[in-house]
Amino acid sequence: MSRVNLIVAILAGIVQGIVEWLPVSSQGNLALFLTLVGTDPGVAVQLALFMQVGTTLSATMYYCAEIAAAVRAVPGWRPAAAYDGANAIPSYVVVATAMTGLVGIPLYVFAVDLADRLTGGVFIAAIGVLLVLTGALQLVSESVSIGIRDAPTLSDSVLVGAVQGVAILPGISRSGVTTSALLFRSYDPPAAFRLSFLLSIPASLGAAALTIAGAGGLPGIDPVPALAALGVSAVVGYLTIDALMRVVDRVPFWLVCFGLGGLAVVGGGVVTVV
């Protein structure tokens, strides 16, 4: 099927609401789920980006205090002190978001075009390969000594924004690559997760707008299922974010990426052969 029905939309919302907070690529796993239930691969990629709006609402509510502090700092922002004190977070978000757009928009066009050309099995296997690569990055980041930094710089903004742009490819974990990049820059893990998810809010809204513009409307989904998917993902995301953020500190998610990626590669090969 090319358009998503209400039941599939609700299930997709549940998947998005849970895996968004884990560095295992919510977009890749959601695109994988939608492809497995019969959605066209190109539509699956677009829907996976669009449905991030629901968990963006969850993140906005969860980090409302940090967002409010950043907004209050805007009137006093000056270029000469862009990364001093309270100015650091607004500068980080703006610069990193701009870099995400510069890197992500061309990759989005490439990803949708490539997905339209691939058969279902090949597409599933391709997502699996990207998940394994994400797992490898997570594994390497764990070997880096933990730092104590918590305030972003211009270099951090450019780097994290660029790697977030790459995460527009399904299978590349946005939270995984951005958090790993911050850990490589010697950030304290809680600060790395906070900065990663703050940056996800404008990025997810931008990706949804790009998807709607590219598809000329809601991508492969009617308004009622779309609202249901967004509503479910927002509620599930808000209810699970605190618990799942605690899990992040305890479970080796590189192993999860390897497992899911390996299953996707094998499953995609089976689908292609059959």
Side-chain angles (χ1 to χ4, degrees):
M1 66 181 176
S2 61
R3 300 189 71 83
V4 173
N5 61 37
L6 183 60
I7 294 177
V8 172
I10 291 174
L11 292 175
I14 294 173
V15 172
Q16 172 64 25
I18 294 174
V19 300
E20 172 64 23
W21 317 122
L22 307 178
V24 295
S25 179
S26 61
Q27 182 193 348
N29 283 287
L30 187 54
L32 181 61
F33 165 76
L34 291 169
T35 302
L36 288 173
V37 297
T39 306
D40 294 338
V43 174
V45 171
Q46 294 175 318
L47 277 171
L49 287 171
F50 171 74
M51 289 187 183
Q52 291 180 357
V53 172
T55 44
T56 296
L57 295 175
S58 303
T60 301
M61 295 179 65
Y62 190 78
Y63 289 108
C64 61
E66 288 85 348
I67 294 171
V71 171
R72 287 194 299 269
V74 171
W77 186 92
R78 298 292 183 273
Y83 285 89
D84 292 343
N87 290 337
I89 295 300
S91 299
Y92 162 78
V93 171
V94 171
V95 173
T97 299
M99 283 301 302
T100 297
L102 289 174
V103 174
I105 290 175
L107 284 178
Y108 167 78
V109 175
F110 166 76
V112 172
D113 180 65
L114 181 62
D116 284 332
R117 296 172 185 271
L118 296 178
T119 62
V122 175
F123 179 71
I124 292 170
I127 290 178
V129 171
L130 291 173
L131 281 169
V132 171
L133 291 175
T134 296
L137 179 61
Q138 286 284 303
L139 179 58
V140 172
S141 72
E142 288 191 3
S143 67
V144 178
S145 59
I146 295 177
I148 57 173
R149 296 181 58 203
D150 59 7
T153 64
L154 176 59
S155 298
D156 298 328
S157 304
V158 172
L159 173 62
V160 177
V163 297
Q164 180 171 256
V166 175
I168 202 166
L169 296 172
I172 298 294
S173 167
R174 189 212 63 79
S175 62
V177 296
T178 53
T179 302
S180 294
L182 288 163
L183 291 175
F184 275 116
R185 297 283 293 172
S186 300
Y187 274 81
D188 175 69
F193 280 107
R194 177 176 61 88
L195 290 172
S196 171
F197 285 115
L198 284 175
L199 190 56
S200 75
I201 296 171
S204 296
L205 293 176
L210 180 63
T211 300
I212 292 173
L218 295 176
I221 190 169
D222 292 321
V224 172
L227 289 175
L230 296 183
V232 169
S233 66
V235 172
V236 173
Y238 186 79
L239 292 175
T240 58
I241 184 172
D242 187 59
L244 292 175
M245 287 292 283
R246 289 197 298 269
V247 171
V248 164
D249 292 330
R250 296 176 173 84
V251 178
F253 279 100
W254 59 267
L255 185 59
V256 178
C257 288
F258 282 158
L260 291 176
L263 288 174
V265 171
V266 173
V270 171
V271 171
T272 301
V273 172
V274 174

